[in-house]
Amino acid sequence: MSDLQERARALDAADELAPLRELFTLDDTVYLDGNSLGALPRHVPVRLQEVLTREWGELRIRSWGESGWWTAPERIGDRIAPIVGAAAGQIVVGDSTSVNVFKAVVAATRLAPEGRDEILVDADTFPTDGYIAGSAARMTGHRIVPVAPAEVPGALGPRTAAVLLNHVDYRSGRLHDLPALTAAVQAAGAVSVWDLCHSAGALPVDLDRHGVDLAVGCTYKYLNGGPGSPAYLYVAARHQPVFDSPLPGWTSHADPFAMTPGYEAADGAVRGRVGTPDILSMLALESSLDVWDGVGIEAVRAKSLALTDFFLECVAEYVPEGRVSSATPAAHAERGSQVALRCEDAEPVMGALIARGVVGDLRRPDVLRFGFTPLYVGFADAERAARLLADVLAG
């Protein structure tokens, strides 16, 4: 056994989060793609079976009230709130991330002062965010200004209405400075919108403490909600009385069952709802969140940094010099919970890794991505992944 293998064993033995791995359905594969799709918590199939056979099969329509289906979007939002540092009553679950980005960006332009016609968008954003923001801009008479997150303070001005940024870059894993950028956006009189898809469940976000205006995020990555599980929308309490959604559906109406032709928005985060909730995936997500009971996000962050540090150390030790380079910042304050390695032949390399039992993913043309989900990834996983990567590259 090598020194790094021995260290991995010792680190796993001392890891306070290690027992959580048993809560998930995993095998001998090293699964480093939880930043795309989280692993299945073991208890979720039993819960879904109950939903299917009793709540839908027996109670049927009565389950909207008796089983709490109707209030699920807000109830599950309150389960997510502590993970992202929000007080209850500010998060509603439902729809996709893309739909929630649209709601948030348009609502942000409506919250901004009159006469502002620019929307700043992260120049390296996940493509859909850019597509949605562009469409929102065309519909509202604004123009899109692409800008690197670090350059946002210098790009802000009296014409800036809203700023849409990613907390963690999906390619590189770079963590952007949410507190400082939020403060700069608000000092310029604009409205901040944050995409938390690659940070929620991996590191502290502290939405309330940093005064974020609006935020969106998915639940199928670090929150392990399942493929296509519903996303969420955060509306800071101070904005809720005037939050004007561009998609005023019947379930966000103040009296939805009155079925009146005129729209009157409900109070609170409920304003972010649109149509009938997707109950099956919604309740799978709710059950998945049980793995977070008693887990502090600070402990998750500490393990995430330790894991990624150790993986990078193993890569430096094992991988032939010059074959890969890290696109992920070394500084902890600038790193999310993934490591992106630039590799000339990334696609065949990742294919060979997967064939050897290490599952990551890639972003063309040359990025190997390895996501570290602290709830179920261990240090032995990190060491094995780096060792097998070296074998592939040496072969």
Side-chain angles (χ1 to χ4, degrees):
M1 184 178 294
S2 71
D3 289 345
L4 287 172
Q5 286 174 303
E6 290 181 357
R7 279 183 53 204
R9 178 176 290 185
L11 288 166
D12 281 333
D15 175 19
E16 64 180 284
L17 298 181
L20 295 175
R21 182 184 177 94
E22 297 304 314
L23 300 179
F24 294 87
T25 302
L26 294 165
D27 51 26
D28 291 336
T29 299
V30 176
Y31 188 64
L32 301 182
D33 210 5
N35 54 331
S36 288
L37 177 64
L40 170 68
R42 290 183 184 274
H43 65 281
V44 171
V46 175
R47 171 60 181 138
L48 275 182
Q49 187 64 36
E50 178 187 21
V51 172
L52 290 168
T53 58
R54 172 162 171 74
E55 295 184 11
W56 182 14
E58 297 176 14
L59 296 179
R60 293 178 288 276
I61 197 72
R62 292 161 52 195
S63 276
W64 285 106
E66 294 181 28
S67 301
W69 289 1
W70 185 260
T71 57
E74 301 84 62
R75 182 177 70 245
I76 302 170
D78 286 346
R79 293 283 302 277
I80 294 172
I83 300 173
V84 295
Q90 298 178 99
I91 294 178
V92 64
V93 173
D95 307 311
S96 67
T97 306
S98 301
V99 172
N100 283 312
V101 168
F102 178 75
K103 294 180 207 171
V105 170
V106 174
T109 67
R110 294 173 176 178
L111 287 169
E114 291 288 335
R116 294 177 177 241
D117 63 354
E118 292 182 348
I119 301 171
L120 271 57
V121 176
D122 185 339
D124 296 317
T125 190
F126 187 79
T128 293
D129 284 20
Y131 305 156
I132 294 290
S135 178
R138 292 191 298 273
M139 293 173 64
T140 59
H142 291 70
R143 73 184 188 99
I144 293 291
V145 180
V147 59
E151 298 171 3
V152 164
L156 293 164
R159 297 178 62 179
T160 309
V163 182
L164 172 63
L165 295 171
N166 292 268
H167 195 190
V168 173
D169 184 275
Y170 78 100
R171 282 194 186 91
S172 68
R174 176 178 291 277
L175 172 66
H176 298 303
D177 192 342
L178 181 147
L181 290 171
T182 299
V185 169
Q186 293 174 346
V191 179
S192 62
V193 181
W194 284 93
D195 182 329
L196 310 178
C197 285
H198 286 269
S199 59
L203 53 90
V205 180
D206 292 325
L207 292 174
D208 285 355
R209 183 158 71 93
H210 300 310
V212 168
D213 298 300
L214 303 169
V216 301
C218 67
T219 61
Y220 46 78
K221 300 182 190 298
Y222 297 109
L223 298 183
N224 311 297
S229 57
Y232 57 90
L233 171 67
Y234 165 88
V235 181
R238 65 186 180 278
H239 292 311
Q240 290 177 7
V242 291
F243 178 81
D244 186 5
S245 173
L247 297 173
W250 76 286
T251 70
S252 64
H253 196 284
D255 187 3
F257 292 97
M259 303 294 177
T260 57
Y263 180 76
E264 179 185 350
D267 293 330
V270 177
R271 289 182 176 216
R273 291 177 62 156
V274 184
T276 305
D278 186 343
I279 290 299
L280 297 183
S281 61
M282 186 89 65
L283 298 185
L285 165 63
E286 182 174 35
S287 183
S288 296
L289 292 170
D290 289 349
V291 300
W292 285 91
D293 290 348
V295 177
I297 194 66
E298 293 78 11
V300 170
R301 176 59 168 166
K303 182 178 176 181
S304 165
L305 291 172
L307 277 169
T308 49
D309 278 344
F310 185 65
F311 177 69
L312 286 167
E313 181 182 351
C314 291
V315 168
E317 178 70 22
Y318 291 148
V319 173
E321 187 173 353
R323 290 294 279 118
V324 299
S325 62
S326 178
T328 301
H332 285 183
E334 299 175 6
R335 188 194 308 166
S337 198
Q338 74 179 50
V339 172
L341 299 178
R342 295 200 180 278
C343 179
E344 197 171 282
D345 44 355
E347 193 161 355
V349 167
M350 183 54 69
L353 264 180
I354 292 172
R356 287 166 168 78
V358 176
V359 178
D361 68 7
L362 62 102
R363 287 293 178 264
R364 290 182 290 178
D366 63 349
V367 173
L368 302 170
R369 292 198 322 168
F370 302 93
F372 290 84
T373 306
L375 298 189
Y376 55 77
V377 173
F379 292 89
D381 294 323
E383 186 277 335
R384 181 181 166 198
R387 181 162 35 88
L388 290 177
L389 174 61
D391 289 347
V392 169
L393 293 173

